[in-house]
Amino acid sequence: MTLKTRLLTCFSLLIFVLSFGQMQNYSYKRELIGVQNTWHKLTLPNDLFEKVSPALSDIRVFGITTKNDTIEASYILKLNDEKVVKTNVYFKILNTSYNEKGYYFTLEVPSKAPINHLQLAFKQFNFDWRINLEGSHNQKEWFSIAEDYRILSIKNAETFYEYTKLSFPISSYRYFRILVKSLEKPDLKSAEATYNTINAGVFNDYKTKRIRMKENKAENRTEIEVELLRSVPVSYVQVDVNATFDYYRPITIQYVSDSLKTEKGYLYNYRTMTDGTLTSIEKNVFKFNNTVAKKLKITIQNQDNEPLTINKVDVKGNVYDLEIRFNEPATYYLTYGNALAYKPYYDIDHFISKTPDSITSITLGKEEVLPKTPKATKSPLFENKLWLWLIIIVIIVLLGGFSVKMMQAK
């Protein structure tokens, strides 16, 4: 084993000992109220995230038995985020036609599979078209599914944006007909029909402490600073724009990762959570991975356009649940607050599918600060003069030995 390997091993063992530990290695605890069964579910409260690590790696469930032994309960951390399941539906293009209304594309779905989503791709760029979608069982009687649906493509040296997807109520027809209202012949490159099922997830709506908007005229951009009441997991931002005209603006959403206090105030470091396009044809909802944040910065690039009027900004975050397995009777506590704690790895992580379908919820008691064991103070090594004399004697003996060897060599 090399020296480097030994040092790494020692360091890993040190971190393991410091972070595994017992309750005294954590800063806070809250009693779990209502533990009666083997499995229970706990929804993590918003006020917890200011005191845990950003990766949520320092969450533990400890129990104190009647014999005063400390045990640890395993848990599965679940994020209630949005899940979209796409089922592709096979179809074929039967024909294309044209009349004074525009260009028609007729699709046949051989199976009885329903669809609620069409993703179109055209060889052309820079178009703004309206679409009608109809369905039929026999190509004689047609029923309207979507009318005047807008699709758009913008491509230039600076930007590229396309919105060519159709979402509509679940429809089950043998034939579908797309009418593209255009004087130019659309060159349909491909079309994808899918049946999308969406689990919307569970969100917390967050109140804002302060929203400040300013126009950076030198950079021709709008900057919106959003401060929440506390640090919470953020995964959803919706920007409500008040405009009666079409617009298309690049947008970046960032959060304050850390700050530095100076004589002139605080300097903030930002990290990007997502970027995209603020447009008049979409809902301007931006979703991204949960990120614990308190201060957000939204930057809208106005380019050569006038600034937009922003009515409001909504911020949400997905809810976290702990599904906890209790193997022994004890008084259990949720503990957290340990910067050195590693992410726990439990056996149940590999058997998530075997957790019960119905799990009763439990609640949390009041937060308690865990007392820290005072560190024992040690006397300086050289406080006792005997140590000094002993070291001096050892040095003299070593120097004398080297001198004798040098004389003998001569």
Side-chain angles (χ1 to χ4, degrees):
M1 184 182 288
T2 64
L3 178 60
K4 182 179 179 180
T5 304
R6 290 177 180 175
L7 289 174
L8 288 174
T9 302
C10 292
F11 181 75
S12 300
L13 287 173
L14 176 62
I15 295 297
F16 177 81
V17 172
L18 289 173
S19 61
F20 183 79
Q22 300 296 320
M23 290 178 64
Q24 65 268 20
N25 291 324
Y26 296 81
S27 299
Y28 308 97
K29 72 173 183 179
R30 298 177 71 170
E31 185 177 352
L32 300 180
I33 300 172
V35 178
Q36 296 178 345
N37 304 320
T38 302
W39 284 93
H40 284 291
K41 181 175 71 173
L42 172 69
T43 299
L44 296 183
N46 289 337
D47 58 3
L48 175 121
F49 295 98
E50 286 187 320
K51 299 171 183 177
V52 299
S53 64
L56 309 184
S57 58
D58 55 339
I59 294 176
R60 298 291 188 277
V61 177
F62 288 117
I64 306 298
T65 67
T66 54
K67 296 181 180 179
N68 209 32
D69 293 329
T70 302
I71 57 176
E72 182 173 352
S74 304
Y75 67 81
I76 298 170
L77 180 62
K78 287 194 172 181
L79 177 64
N80 293 290
D81 59 344
E82 181 182 88
K83 294 179 176 64
V84 180
V85 179
K86 291 185 178 182
T87 304
N88 290 320
V89 178
Y90 169 75
F91 69 93
K92 59 183 179 180
I93 300 177
L94 291 182
N95 55 58
T96 61
S97 58
Y98 168 76
N99 62 20
E100 68 279 0
K101 294 182 179 180
Y103 290 84
Y104 292 87
F105 299 89
T106 304
L107 317 176
E108 180 186 12
V109 180
S111 66
K112 295 182 179 180
I115 66 172
N116 59 0
H117 188 91
L118 275 175
Q119 179 67 57
L120 307 177
F122 299 89
K123 291 184 178 180
Q124 294 105 319
F125 300 107
N126 297 314
F127 57 78
D128 188 353
W129 296 330
R130 299 284 177 166
I131 285 181
N132 286 355
L133 178 65
E134 299 173 311
S136 174
H137 296 292
N138 52 19
Q139 294 196 76
K140 294 180 180 180
E141 185 179 15
W142 292 93
F143 301 93
S144 178
I145 299 173
E147 291 185 356
D148 221 25
Y149 205 106
R150 188 180 182 186
I151 60 173
L152 178 71
S153 170
I154 300 174
K155 186 177 183 180
N156 52 46
E158 296 179 353
T159 58
F160 177 49
Y161 171 78
E162 279 192 338
Y163 183 79
T164 57
K165 58 185 178 182
L166 282 73
S167 297
F168 44 88
I170 298 172
S171 303
S172 181
Y173 292 99
R174 179 70 182 272
Y175 304 97
F176 290 87
R177 186 168 66 181
I178 302 170
L179 167 62
V180 181
K181 302 175 184 180
S182 169
L183 297 176
E184 174 192 5
K185 182 180 179 180
D187 193 346
L188 183 62
K189 184 170 61 176
S190 66
E192 181 185 53
T194 58
Y195 174 60
N196 296 354
T197 56
I198 301 175
N199 179 356
V202 183
F203 288 90
N204 278 324
D205 294 309
Y206 300 131
K207 293 183 178 180
T208 55
K209 181 179 180 181
R210 185 183 299 109
I211 296 181
R212 188 165 71 97
M213 302 186 191
K214 62 179 181 179
E215 300 299 332
N216 187 332
K217 295 183 179 180
E219 301 291 337
N220 203 13
R221 66 191 186 197
T222 302
E223 297 175 353
I224 308 171
E225 295 178 357
V226 180
E227 183 177 356
L228 305 174
L229 296 176
R230 57 172 65 92
S231 294
V232 286
V234 176
S235 61
Y236 175 111
V237 172
Q238 182 173 14
V239 182
D240 184 11
V241 179
N242 182 13
T244 57
F245 53 87
D246 285 335
Y247 56 88
Y248 166 87
R249 312 283 171 91
I251 184 174
T252 303
I253 302 175
Q254 300 173 300
Y255 74 101
V256 175
S257 57
D258 56 67
S259 60
L260 176 65
K261 189 175 183 180
T262 66
E263 295 179 354
K264 297 182 179 180
Y266 282 94
L267 292 177
Y268 296 108
N269 291 322
Y270 294 93
R271 290 186 181 178
T272 299
M273 292 190 285
T274 189
D275 51 29
T277 305
L278 199 68
T279 76
S280 53
I281 65 172
E282 296 192 66
K283 295 181 179 179
N284 292 324
V285 171
F286 303 92
K287 298 176 183 178
F288 39 88
N289 293 333
N290 254 19
T291 304
V292 177
K294 185 178 181 180
K295 295 182 178 180
L296 309 180
K297 181 179 180 181
I298 302 171
T299 304
I300 303 170
Q301 300 292 343
N302 295 316
Q303 298 166 336
D304 295 325
N305 305 290
E306 61 181 286
L308 297 169
T309 301
I310 308 300
N311 286 335
K312 63 176 181 176
V313 177
D314 292 326
V315 181
K316 301 180 183 181
N318 291 109
V319 172
Y320 282 100
D321 285 334
L322 292 186
E323 293 186 356
I324 313 168
R325 185 181 66 191
F326 301 94
N327 291 334
E328 299 181 41
T331 302
Y332 285 95
Y333 298 89
L334 182 74
T335 63
Y336 48 94
N338 182 352
L340 295 175
Y342 66 96
K343 180 182 177 182
Y345 292 94
Y346 301 120
D347 291 336
I348 58 176
D349 290 332
H350 304 287
F351 304 98
I352 296 178
S353 60
K354 294 187 177 181
T355 58
D357 295 329
S358 179
I359 303 177
T360 56
S361 297
I362 54 177
T363 57
L364 285 172
K366 293 183 178 180
E367 183 179 82
E368 300 177 46
V369 178
L370 286 166
K372 296 297 180 183
T373 304
K375 296 181 179 179
T377 56
K378 296 182 180 180
S379 300
L381 181 61
F382 300 124
E383 187 176 66
N384 192 330
K385 293 183 179 180
L386 182 61
W387 281 102
L388 290 172
W389 282 110
L390 182 61
I391 292 172
I392 291 172
I393 292 172
V394 171
I395 293 173
I396 292 173
V397 170
L398 291 174
L399 290 175
F402 286 130
S403 300
V404 170
K405 285 184 178 180
M406 290 175 65
M407 292 174 65
Q408 289 176 347
K410 292 181 178 180

